[in-house]
Amino acid sequence: MRKILVLAAVAAGIAGSAQAADITGAGATFPFPIYSKWAEAYKKETGTGLNYQSIGSGGGIRQIKAKTVAFGATDAPLKGGDLTKDGLVQFPTVMGGVVPAVNIAGIAPGKLKLSGEIIAQIYLGDIKKWNDPKIVALNAGVTLPDANINPVYRSDGSGTTFVFTDYLSKVSAEWKSKIGANQSVQWPVGIGGKGNEGVSASVKQVANSIGYVEYAYAKQNKLSHALVKNADGNFPAPEEKAFQAAAANANWQEQPGFGISLNNQKGADAWPITSATFILVHAKPENPAEVQEALKFFDWAYKSGDKLASELDYVALPANVKDQVRAAWKGVTDNSGKPIF
């Protein structure tokens, strides 16, 4: 938990010193660690601060629609019709992976193997024990306890939940028909935690638990994680090359606002639960200068933030996608119709 708290302290310090010229944003907890690191470096380099509220994707979408922040952040991309209706421009910043974090005595990180179907059955309440025959069959030589599984889920509107349930909907017909994919769903079993931070804390505290978190949170909190069977039948480790492999064949312009899914992609090394995270700004903002500063910040991140992202196990966007995003920013204009970036 220490590193998350350090990042939170950095963010709090940035927020506390925010002046009129500082950038305001709110939303997804998934990218909070990297946005905090970028903000710290950007403040030192430019003097411009960032006040970013890590409140979940649902909250970020609500705040940008209410025009209370310069940008909203979401892991669940809005569809083209919603972007048009609300006058928003959407673009990705980085990619990362969602992992099943587990707290099982004696199980080291990466030693437990699960499939998407098994994870779905755990969260449906159909698989109740860690030594269920279906789990044992995937884990020869691993001693699994005769203990009840304690699932942990996000209690807030969450893009991480969307990514996780979108993945489960792709690999389990039963999950798709009964629960589906959304930022908030009706969980049949388990306990809730707020934010990636809350789920990480609950998994750490509750024995025999399983939760889903962005990989940086699992790593920084020293949580054990399970490997997940990918579309090619392999069990890759969640790491930068596996997240890159998931995006290798992505067509970013396939959906409006770059809103593609990277879940369950083909590829021997592809991590099966991979996502980009997205920013939302108004196409015609009431305060063009503030949104201009936000775009300058993300342009700086594209140019100078890749190393920081890699250090936190996020994956930078390909250079050609960054250029496509900059071209999309020309759709953000002032009241005269002039692009602000």
Side-chain angles (χ1 to χ4, degrees), residues 26-316:
T29 66
F30 179 107
F32 172 62
I34 185 55
Y35 290 175
S36 296
K37 280 293 187 184
W38 283 347
E40 183 182 10
Y42 191 70
K43 176 86 169 180
K44 288 179 181 177
E45 189 170 315
T46 68
T48 300
L50 172 67
N51 175 4
Y52 180 74
Q53 304 168 55
S54 176
I55 59 174
S57 296
I61 292 169
R62 285 192 295 274
Q63 288 213 22
I64 190 63
K65 287 183 178 180
K67 302 181 180 180
T68 58
V69 290
F71 70 86
T74 177
D75 306 323
L78 296 188
K79 295 187 182 301
D82 293 323
L83 294 171
T84 300
K85 175 171 66 73
D86 293 305
L88 296 171
V89 172
Q90 175 177 268
F91 58 91
T93 52
V94 290
M95 299 173 287
V98 175
V99 300
V102 297
N103 179 356
I104 309 169
I107 302 296
K111 295 303 181 184
L112 178 69
K113 294 179 179 178
L114 299 172
S115 67
E117 182 64 33
I118 285 174
I119 297 170
Q121 289 184 317
I122 288 172
Y123 275 91
L124 286 167
D126 296 333
I127 291 180
K128 304 177 188 298
K129 296 267 193 181
W130 279 117
N131 64 347
D132 183 281
K134 291 181 179 179
I135 302 177
V136 171
L138 280 181
N139 291 277
V142 178
T143 301
L144 294 165
D146 181 17
N148 290 330
I149 300 173
N150 296 308
V152 182
Y153 57 82
R154 286 283 291 271
S155 59
D156 52 328
S158 156
T160 307
T161 293
F162 172 79
V163 173
F164 184 66
T165 56
D166 176 67
Y167 167 69
L168 294 182
S169 294
K170 283 177 161 56
V171 297
S172 167
E174 183 180 9
W175 182 273
K176 184 176 182 179
S177 65
K178 290 184 176 179
I179 309 297
N182 213 324
Q183 294 177 50
S184 182
V185 299
Q186 292 297 314
W187 298 96
V189 294
I191 57 174
K194 187 173 182 180
N196 271 283
E197 303 92 335
V199 172
S200 297
S202 293
V203 170
K204 200 165 189 176
Q205 293 164 6
V206 179
N208 299 307
S209 58
I210 180 171
Y212 56 93
V213 295
E214 197 280 322
Y215 179 57
Y217 286 85
K219 188 173 182 178
Q220 291 163 14
N221 284 285
K222 296 181 169 59
L223 297 175
S224 187
H225 64 268
L227 301 183
V228 183
K229 188 176 182 179
N230 70 11
D232 281 24
N234 298 327
F235 291 88
E239 56 190 4
E240 187 172 359
K241 73 172 187 178
F243 306 147
Q244 287 174 329
N249 299 313
N251 178 3
W252 288 91
Q253 295 187 312
E254 181 180 33
Q255 297 292 335
F258 305 90
I260 61 172
S261 171
L262 301 176
N263 276 326
N264 206 39
Q265 294 290 315
K266 289 283 189 182
D269 298 323
W271 181 254
I273 320 175
T274 299
S275 176
T277 190
F278 299 86
I279 295 299
L280 296 165
V281 297
H282 283 281
K284 291 187 176 180
E286 292 182 353
N287 186 342
E290 186 181 29
V291 176
Q292 182 183 56
E293 288 302 317
L295 296 184
K296 286 181 181 178
F297 169 74
F298 288 112
D299 182 60
W300 173 90
Y302 285 165
K303 293 174 180 174
S304 306
D306 288 0
K307 185 173 184 293
L308 288 172
S310 180
E311 288 170 359
L312 290 174
D313 298 289
Y314 295 91
V315 176

